[in-house]
Amino acid sequence: VQKRKAVNNISYVKRQYDGFGTCQHLTKFYLRLTTFPKPSEVRPLSVLRLSFDHVTKKYSSEEEAYEWVNEQLKSVRQDLTVQRLFRTDFVVKVYETHARIALENGDLNEFNQCQSMLISLTQPGGVIVSNDGSVSNGCSESAELVTLMGKKELSAFQISMQHDKLPKQGVAESDEFGGYRLLYALVQKNWSEINVGLKSSVYEQFRQKHERLPKMSAFNHAVQVVKSL
C-alpha cells in the first residue's frame, strides 16, 4: 500500500509540474514567486532553450549589461524549476553558464547559488529542498519551491526526484567547477569546507584521475593554490 501511495504521489507531482508552460516570450524578467504561476506565465522547455541562446548571445556581443543578463538567466532557471525540469543536460548547461558569467562579473553570491545547485543536481543524494522545507543549497529557486509546495507535495516531489536519472557534467566541466569550488572556499576562508572538500569522494575522483588530467587543469591548479597558503 505504501509503495502504491509513493507511485501515486510521483505521478501527481509529474502531472502537476512537468512542462506545463505556454508562454512564448524569449525574455521575461525575474520576479520572486509567492503563488504558483499560470501556464501562460511560464515558458516551455523549447522556448527556454531559445531564450538561453538569445540571452547568452546578447552577453557575448556586449549588447546588454550583466544586470540584464543575470535577471534573464534567473528567469530561465525559475521557469525550469516550477516545471520540475531539473535533471536534464540543458539545466546543467544553464547553471554552468550562469556561474561563469557571474564569476566574470564578480558576483560571488550568484556564482555560489549556481555551483551549489549543480552539486544538488548532479551528485548522488543531492537535495534540492529537504522534506522539512529547509534549503540546504542556498538557491532562490529552491526557496521558492518551499513557498509554492505544501509538505505533502514537497515529500512527493523529493521521492520523484529520487527516480530521476542524474545528469552529468563533462570531465572538463567537472574539473573546472571542482577548481572553482575549492577557490571559492579559499576566498571565503572556509577552511573546514576546504578540508572536507579535499577528502570528499568528488575530489578523490580527481586525484585518482590525476594522470589523465592536464598538469594545469583547473582542479590541480586550485589544489596548488590552496597548498601554497
Side-chain angles (χ1 to χ4, degrees), residues 22-168:
T22 61
C23 177
Q24 298 297 306
H25 298 306
L26 284 182
T27 59
K28 182 166 74 78
F29 280 102
Y30 171 81
L31 293 173
R32 196 68 177 264
L33 296 175
T34 55
T35 58
F36 204 82
K38 300 175 183 177
S40 60
E41 299 171 334
V42 180
R43 293 164 294 185
L45 184 58
S46 58
V47 176
L48 290 172
R49 290 182 186 276
L50 295 174
S51 175
F52 175 77
D53 289 341
H54 174 72
V55 172
T56 52
K57 285 177 182 177
K58 290 283 187 181
Y59 177 74
S60 298
S61 63
E62 299 183 349
E63 291 182 51
E64 296 288 351
Y66 170 68
E67 289 73 19
W68 181 87
V69 174
N70 184 50
E71 285 285 322
Q72 293 301 321
L73 290 176
K74 283 175 72 73
S75 180
V76 169
R77 285 162 45 189
Q78 184 182 65
D79 283 358
L80 288 167
T81 298
V82 297
Q83 296 178 95
R84 210 194 67 91
L85 298 173
F86 283 116
R87 290 184 165 159
T88 66
D89 292 338
F90 174 65
V91 173
V92 172
K93 183 178 180 181
V94 169
Y95 280 96
E96 286 176 344
T97 302
H98 199 174
R100 294 187 188 106
I101 291 175
L103 272 183
E104 289 175 8
N105 290 273
D107 190 345
L108 292 183
N109 178 58
E110 200 65 54
F111 161 77
N112 187 46
Q113 288 195 40
C114 292
Q115 68 98 11
S116 296
M117 186 61 112
L118 279 170
I119 295 173
S120 297
L121 293 170
T122 61
Q123 299 301 321
V127 176
I128 309 299
V129 287
S130 301
N131 287 336
D132 62 1
S134 61
V135 179
S136 59
N137 59 22
C139 295
S140 56
E141 47 266 50
S142 295
E144 286 180 333
L145 278 178
V146 175
T147 301
L148 299 176
M149 289 183 176
K151 285 188 176 181
K152 185 178 291 188
E153 289 182 62
L154 197 58
S155 177
F157 173 79
Q158 290 291 59
I159 294 172
S160 73
M161 289 291 288
Q162 295 171 11
H163 290 255
D164 288 344
K165 183 179 179 181
L166 288 175
K168 294 182 179 179

Side-chain angles (χ1 to χ4, degrees), residues 92 96 100 169-181 206:
V92 172
E96 286 176 344
R100 294 187 188 106
Q169 286 184 293
V171 174
E173 289 76 17
S174 295
D175 172 58
E176 175 189 0
F177 278 86
Y180 289 158
R181 290 178 194 122
F206 283 117

Side-chain angles (χ1 to χ4, degrees), residues 175 179 206 210 213-225:
D175 172 58
F206 283 117
H210 178 75
L213 291 171
K215 288 186 177 180
M216 288 308 294
S217 73
F219 178 74
N220 288 336
H221 175 70
V223 170
Q224 290 174 21
V225 171

Side-chain angles (χ1 to χ4, degrees), residues 1-18 84 149 151-161 163:
V1 175
Q2 289 181 344
K3 186 176 182 181
R4 188 180 303 165
K5 283 184 178 180
V7 172
N8 289 338
N9 284 340
I10 293 169
S11 299
Y12 170 76
V13 171
K14 287 184 179 294
R15 289 197 308 271
Q16 191 79 350
Y17 297 100
D18 282 356
R84 210 194 67 91
M149 289 183 176
K151 285 188 176 181
K152 185 178 291 188
E153 289 182 62
L154 197 58
S155 177
F157 173 79
Q158 290 291 59
I159 294 172
S160 73
M161 289 291 288
H163 290 255

